[in-house]
Amino acid sequence: MAETAAILAWTLQNEIPTPADVNELLVEGETAVASFKTFRDSATFTTKRLIVRDAQGITGKKIEIYSLPYSSIHMWSTENAGGMLDRDAEVELWTKAGHIKVKLTKGADIRRINGLLAWATLHSH
């Protein structure tokens, strides 16, 4: 596959309980499935989309929210270092908006992420 520059890059860490304020972003019939800590905030897989919250600035009061509907994901790939701990794992998403890279730290299970993406994209069309 040709190397393309990512329009966005996120890092997912360990799985966490879904932050309470994410529920305010959900539409009727949408529920949170799994959430992960990110460098500055959280990423939540819902039944309809991936919501990434990114706290910004020194105080973290300014928050940018990305919403990626599963229907916009054309393809994804996963890659890990091949070790049991899955260090330096990475997920790449090719979407209608462009190419997105998601790095996973040792606390994020690449098999869990791959399963969530398969479940989400294959059931959303």
Side-chain angles (χ1 to χ4, degrees):
M1 184 117 247
E3 186 69 25
T4 57
I7 58 165
L8 291 170
W10 298 315
T11 300
L12 301 187
Q13 299 171 357
N14 52 305
E15 195 163 348
I16 59 171
T18 299
D21 56 349
V22 168
N23 291 321
E24 299 168 10
L25 303 172
L26 304 180
V27 298
E28 187 177 329
E30 181 180 24
T31 56
V33 176
S35 294
F36 294 84
K37 182 178 180 350
T38 61
F39 180 67
R40 298 274 319 238
D41 212 320
S42 67
T44 299
F45 288 85
T46 76
T47 51
K48 298 183 181 293
R49 59 191 161 146
L50 174 60
I51 299 171
V52 178
R53 291 171 34 99
D54 185 20
Q56 299 179 343
I58 295 171
T59 62
K61 288 183 179 179
K62 180 180 177 186
I63 297 174
E64 189 165 13
I65 298 173
Y66 297 91
S67 180
L68 178 64
Y70 299 133
S71 60
S72 72
I73 299 173
H74 295 296
M75 180 177 81
W76 75 93
S77 68
T78 58
E79 177 182 301
N80 66 38
M84 291 298 291
L85 298 177
D86 289 332
R87 290 180 188 234
D88 301 322
E90 188 174 270
V91 176
E92 293 188 63
L93 306 172
W94 285 265
T95 73
K96 291 178 183 176
H99 183 221
I100 300 170
K101 277 194 174 192
V102 182
K103 294 187 181 300
L104 306 177
T105 65
K106 65 180 179 178
D109 182 350
I110 193 161
R111 290 168 300 280
R112 172 98 165 114
I113 303 292
N114 196 39
L116 286 166
L117 283 168
W119 167 81
T121 57
L122 299 175
H123 285 93
S124 69
H125 294 279

